[in-house]
Amino acid sequence: MAVRKRKKKKKKDLQRRKPCPFCLDPTLDIDYKNVEVLSRFVSEKGKIVPRRNSGVCAKHQRRLAKEIKRARFLALIPYIVYTYR
Amino acid sequence: MAKVQKYELMVIFDSQGDEDEIRREFDVVQSLVEKRATEFIGRAVWGLKEFKYPIKKRQSGYYVYYVFKAGPDVPPQISEALKMDEMVLRHLIVRGDENSEKYLGILESGSATQTETPAQKVEEQQAPFPEQAAEEGNQPEGAEQPEPEAPSEETPPEKTESVDQPESGEKLHPSGETGEKTESEESKEQ
């Protein structure tokens, strides 16, 4: 029974999606040189934030991932950030 | 006929060694590009930047950005030539778009604010880029006369940088908050 309840909750969460920040503001440039924008969509560990969390649309997420990888290659963004505890 | 397209080239130069030599290397690479390209659009010196991870045991390097138009056979040729160059730590050639020229100005102005002392040295020692030297030369003259105003102009960019970081934090937080909510919700259910 508990499992059914959880499934319902998840459906509700899916209904209210965040709007894509790049669709809202077309002047925001997705580019490997624009590190300030890219670093917003990278987690503390350096991973690319999934679009289910960031709300970026599929089209812009594809572009974003490509540019983040370019910026990583040029050492503008780290591949990984080690967080020892 | 091969289609001529716009390309962006980002080159990371080794920061170890004579600064004059490194600056000369920027011109060497530019001439290399100019020889092969059908049209050379521009160059922007981003300046000395710290790497986020070491490249060939170096912690920093000079970033220089070139934009040019050429046929599809040219980028591999340039890439081969740059691989032979020992001063070049790393390079990236990608297809350009309408925004690639916009970055010529942005990166150059960014380099002026980040590395002020090297920029001033360039004005005195070299004049390979007269336009840039002239632009940067005018700014310090203006800044020298009203001394109290100059620091106030310099401080805002720092503030904006500090503001940007929290923004990134804010952007990332919501995901964390949602995670917390879901946890709390789950606990309520239980």
Side-chain angles (χ1 to χ4, degrees):
Chain A
M1 287 300 283
V3 177
R4 276 186 184 176
K5 273 183 183 176
R6 271 183 195 173
K7 273 186 179 176
K8 278 181 183 176
K9 286 265 173 186
K10 272 188 180 176
K11 270 190 178 177
K12 274 186 182 177
D13 284 343
L14 282 172
Q15 282 171 358
R16 45 184 164 82
R17 255 190 93 84
K18 274 189 209 172
C20 173
F22 298 104
C23 292
L24 284 178
D25 184 7
T27 57
L28 257 183
D29 198 12
I30 309 177
D31 199 296
Y32 66 94
K33 302 178 286 295
N34 203 348
V35 180
E36 277 181 22
V37 170
L38 296 186
S39 54
R40 273 193 231 164
F41 300 93
V42 172
S43 75
E44 286 176 8
K45 280 189 172 182
K47 290 180 161 190
I48 298 170
V49 177
R51 69 189 195 88
R52 65 169 174 270
N53 292 357
S54 60
V56 179
C57 70
K59 181 184 166 187
H60 286 122
Q61 181 75 4
R62 284 198 297 273
R63 184 83 201 280
L64 193 63
K66 191 191 260 181
E67 298 297 326
I68 287 172
K69 284 165 190 173
R70 281 173 177 172
R72 278 176 181 169
F73 174 72
L74 290 170
L76 297 170
I77 287 179
Y79 277 99
I80 185 156
V81 182
Y82 292 103
T83 48
Y84 296 108
R85 284 180 186 174
Chain B
M1 277 295 285
K3 197 182 173 187
V4 174
Q5 280 177 328
K6 199 190 287 175
Y7 291 97
E8 300 176 9
L9 166 66
M10 185 72 95
V11 186
I12 307 176
F13 290 95
D14 195 346
S15 60
Q16 283 191 350
D18 219 19
E19 205 182 306
D20 293 344
E21 262 185 45
I22 297 164
R23 299 268 169 189
R24 243 173 273 146
E25 197 63 25
F26 299 171
D27 298 331
V28 171
V29 172
Q30 186 175 332
S31 63
L32 187 145
V33 173
E34 277 173 343
K35 265 185 206 169
R36 292 167 173 81
T38 48
E39 188 192 338
F40 185 79
I41 296 169
R43 175 182 90 172
V45 181
W46 204 352
L48 189 63
K49 283 183 87 72
E50 289 266 315
F51 297 148
K52 297 289 177 185
Y53 56 87
I55 298 176
K56 290 182 183 172
K57 296 183 180 175
R58 306 281 193 274
Q59 295 296 334
S60 62
Y62 284 91
Y63 284 74
V64 185
Y65 175 64
Y66 304 88
V67 183
F68 60 94
K69 275 182 183 173
D73 54 326
V74 174
Q77 289 174 19
I78 292 171
S79 191
E80 279 296 309
L82 289 175
K83 275 179 194 169
M84 300 291 170
D85 198 332
E86 285 185 357
M87 293 284 280
V88 176
L89 290 180
R90 201 165 270 192
H91 71 275
L92 176 74
I93 305 177
V94 293
R95 275 252 289 278
D97 53 9
E98 64 274 9
N99 288 326
S100 37
E101 278 139 10
K102 190 182 83 182
Y103 279 94
L104 284 170
I106 292 171
L107 299 184
E108 227 162 85
S109 60
S111 72
T113 52
Q114 281 172 3
T115 55
E116 285 176 16
T117 44
Q120 285 169 1
K121 280 180 188 174
V122 173
E123 287 168 34
E124 293 165 8
Q125 292 169 355
Q126 272 194 339
F129 9 93
E131 292 174 5
Q132 190 188 341
E135 284 173 11
E136 287 174 359
N138 290 335
Q139 287 169 354
E141 281 172 22
E144 277 172 22
Q145 288 165 354
E147 278 183 10
E149 286 178 18
S152 64
E153 284 176 5
E154 284 173 14
T155 43
E158 289 174 9
K159 281 180 183 176
T160 51
E161 281 173 13
S162 63
V163 167
D164 286 345
Q165 287 166 349
E167 274 183 12
S168 63
E170 283 170 19
K171 285 270 173 185
L172 287 171
H173 274 307
S175 61
E177 282 172 16
T178 51
E180 285 169 17
K181 278 178 188 173
T182 50
E183 281 173 17
S184 62
E185 283 168 5
E186 282 175 11
S187 63
K188 279 178 188 175
E189 286 170 22
Q190 287 169 359

